[in-house]
Amino acid sequence: MDTWPIAPKPPPALHIPESTSAVDVRVIDTNTLVHLNPELFWQPKVDGFAGLDAPIYCFLISNGSQHVVFDLGVRSDWQNYAPKVVSLIKATTVITRGSDVTSVLDTDDSGLNIHSADIQAVIWSHNHFDHIGDVSKFPPSTDLVVGPGVCAASWPGWPRRPDAIVLDSDAEGRVVREISFEASSLKIGSFDAYDFFGDGSFYLLDAPGHAVGHLCGLARTTAHDDEPSFVFMGADACHHPGVLRPSDYLSLPSADTLQSTLATTRSSPEQCPGALFQSHLTSPNAPFFTVAPGPLFPDHDAAMLTVRKIQELDAADNVLVLMAHDLSLRDKIPLFPETINGWRVSGLKTKTRWLFCNDFLSA
């Protein structure tokens, strides 16, 4: 290859509507880990890369006195999921037990004073076990918000339906709101969008491929700057940043630059050969991985299209992309009760964009 990097294409305009409203975003890490088997989630296989014990990021989103939670992670007593899910967990993965979102909120002594009883709605990005948590721990006044088709795919739940993957108790006694994108002409980038609070501060995005009704979120974290900033909550649209990067809009940096970036996180900088990652790629503008065909991406074409839509946002300097299982960010981002709103001023995106390459060094 004669030149590295190749100049990327300019990303398309995102056309995010203007707004003077922003939300506070707090990332919640319950310290639960789930093992990701690469063969199930991304391809091609990299010899020696046996997967990750990955976090599951959840989000507290506050619009004034209105508070919602995007995803709940794994319930701490996961053996009490529907029997089909318990069997699936035992057969396919390993969970390192942590806490849960309600416990994090209700034991917080920082003075923030936002507790589970204050949550207006829980939003499931999708109905898989590592995102649905235990909604029954929230009061009946907390709505459950889901994506298109999720109600029909989820309920009746267990025990009324023996093969269900959610519980009847997840929906009992509370309002379940299913988002529809059909009546909305709103677009954010290439995504169909829904303005959750009605003021342009937080959008839900239609992101199919991985699961029925899979949703992503986009939160406006600053509104009054020359250029507003946003946090994108990617859920399980993909399970490793190497599915997103490099891209047509974001080239892998030079070997020297990459080595310098990775060396800041390694005790032995000589173990960070930037050229190693160049040799793995067919092009500096092609991602390391693609989502794997199979049961975890049942609509593979839609999943690939969703990834391409995220790449457009990922290339924007004013959008921080946070995928639910991005291990490379775990000790780099501010966590609850702090907000992540100042990510752009701190240079967080630039500092962390390529840190996922560390995942491959053992291979």
Side-chain angles (χ1 to χ4, degrees), residues 10 79 91 124 138 290 305 332 355:
Q79 293 88 347
W124 280 355
F138 290 85
T290 60
L305 180 58
K332 305 296 186 300
L355 293 185

Side-chain angles (χ1 to χ4, degrees), residues 27-34 53-58 72-74 76 95-101 104 330-331 335-336:
V27 183
I28 299 175
D29 182 353
T30 63
N31 293 314
T32 299
L33 302 177
V34 59
D53 290 327
I56 309 158
Y57 301 126
C58 309
L72 296 179
V74 178
S76 54
I95 293 174
T96 303
R97 191 190 304 266
S99 182
D100 58 65
V101 170
V104 171
R330 193 172 190 214
D331 59 353
L335 296 174
F336 177 92

